[in-house]
Amino acid sequence: MNCSANFWKNGEESKSDSLIDHSIERGANNAKGTGFQTDRDICRRSCFFRQGCKMRLAVRRPRDKGNIDMTEKEKMLQQKLYDANNDAELAKERVRCKKLCQEYNSLPIEDLDRRHALLKTILGESGENVHIEPDFWCDYGYRMKVGDNFYANHGLVVLDGGGVRFGCNVFIAPSCGFHTAGHPIDSERRNQGFEYSYPIVVGDNVWIGAGVQVMPGVTIGSNVVIGGGSVVVKDIPSDSVAVGNPCKVIRRITEEDVKKNWDK
């Protein structure tokens, strides 16, 4: 895999290892295209409400005409608010992926050939020398792209509906998560199952410490170290060490780091 090449294909946005200019329209625009129905209709069908729930009728809200003919998957791919919970196509894709992850996690730990072959089936694109320790879970698989020399320790979770791209020489410590999916702040739409998915991009030569959680729409540059336990909610520039909740840059990586003796 050429890590410096354009990553997103088939009409998707091209990314490099430098920080992207996010042109995502958030806020009020996220509410478009939800196709609201009455609360009673939603209550009758939604898994979020128990049987016998009584709700007052709400006024039907207008749809965004530009989204009427779009499938929920198309909305997801175009970073629009979409219904992931009640859409048969997306649910089928998630079940397929999770069955493959379940199979991967149950393989004998020493059977590297079968594990590597199954990873090729799960991931949308993968380079050479890709190794992920079980347990590993992702939502769709085909929305996850991985460069050469990728290593992830136990407990990696990737919610990849918005697309997740890892560059080359990326090391990920245990219990890390990369979450492209989020939900509206208001409970009305959230309880109906609506969510959004914004892409996550990780550059080359990146080390992610244990327990790090990366949120929707974040880009982490190249030659970066993210300290353990960090929650990354904003972009992290290249050549930096960042840590904290929220994660912030604490210093630059310089030539002096190459000279440091780590022996004790």
Side-chain angles (χ1 to χ4, degrees):
M1 177 179 178
N2 185 351
C3 294
S4 62
N6 288 344
F7 189 78
W8 302 104
K9 299 180 179 180
N10 299 325
E12 294 181 86
E13 185 180 0
S14 172
K15 305 285 193 301
S16 69
D17 62 355
S18 61
L19 297 181
I20 12 177
D21 175 20
H22 293 293
S23 58
I24 302 169
E25 293 185 7
R26 305 187 183 184
N29 287 342
N30 286 341
K32 293 183 179 180
T34 57
F36 284 103
Q37 302 173 36
T38 65
D39 285 347
R40 184 169 293 172
D41 289 338
I42 294 161
C43 179
R44 189 161 48 238
R45 296 197 323 273
S46 175
C47 62
F48 289 99
F49 296 99
R50 296 181 178 179
Q51 201 170 23
C53 172
K54 295 181 180 180
M55 300 181 66
R56 59 184 176 82
L57 290 175
V59 177
R60 183 184 295 270
R61 301 185 180 183
R63 289 184 173 184
D64 177 5
K65 293 183 179 180
N67 295 341
I68 288 179
D69 297 326
M70 295 176 65
T71 66
E72 299 306 310
K73 181 176 180 178
E74 289 171 339
K75 295 175 187 176
M76 179 185 78
L77 296 177
Q78 296 187 32
Q79 301 173 23
K80 299 180 182 296
L81 206 61
Y82 66 101
D83 184 349
N85 293 279
N86 302 302
D87 182 73
E89 180 183 15
L90 291 177
K92 183 178 180 181
E93 290 185 352
R94 289 195 301 273
V95 168
R96 172 193 173 275
C97 181
K98 293 181 189 301
K99 288 175 67 176
L100 290 173
C101 289
Q102 189 174 46
E103 180 183 353
Y104 178 81
N105 293 331
S106 65
L107 288 174
I109 199 68
E110 72 276 9
D111 196 345
L112 295 180
D113 289 340
R114 289 175 65 191
R115 288 171 62 190
H116 291 161
L118 191 51
L119 273 181
K120 291 283 187 182
T121 301
I122 295 172
L123 302 178
E125 185 176 329
S126 60
E128 299 297 324
N129 192 28
V130 173
H131 190 89
I132 302 177
E133 301 287 1
D135 280 353
F136 160 58
W137 297 97
C138 58
D139 273 348
Y140 299 96
Y142 65 86
R143 298 284 288 159
M144 183 175 168
K145 322 290 186 179
V146 175
D148 297 335
N149 302 319
F150 176 89
Y151 176 82
N153 217 317
H154 302 285
L156 176 65
V157 174
V158 182
L159 307 185
D160 60 333
V164 180
R165 186 264 196 189
F166 296 97
C168 295
N169 306 308
V170 173
F171 298 164
I172 300 176
S175 303
C176 289
F178 296 80
H179 314 287
T180 69
H183 300 279
I185 296 297
D186 62 286
S187 61
E188 181 181 5
R189 287 176 295 173
R190 186 172 65 247
N191 290 346
Q192 295 171 47
F194 289 106
E195 65 181 53
Y196 55 82
S197 292
Y198 302 147
I200 292 173
V201 179
V202 178
D204 301 332
N205 304 309
V206 174
W207 175 23
I208 307 287
V212 170
Q213 305 298 316
V214 182
M215 299 297 111
V218 164
T219 290
I220 297 173
S222 293
N223 194 32
V224 169
V225 175
I226 305 293
S230 297
V231 178
V232 189
V233 297
K234 294 184 178 180
D235 294 348
I236 303 297
S238 296
D239 304 308
S240 61
V241 177
V243 66
N245 181 5
C247 187
K248 297 179 180 179
V249 174
I250 59 173
R251 72 174 181 88
R252 304 286 291 176
I253 294 176
T254 68
E255 289 298 322
E256 293 300 316
D257 291 297
V258 179
K259 302 174 185 178
K260 182 170 180 176
N261 185 354
W262 291 93
D263 294 339
K264 281 198 174 183

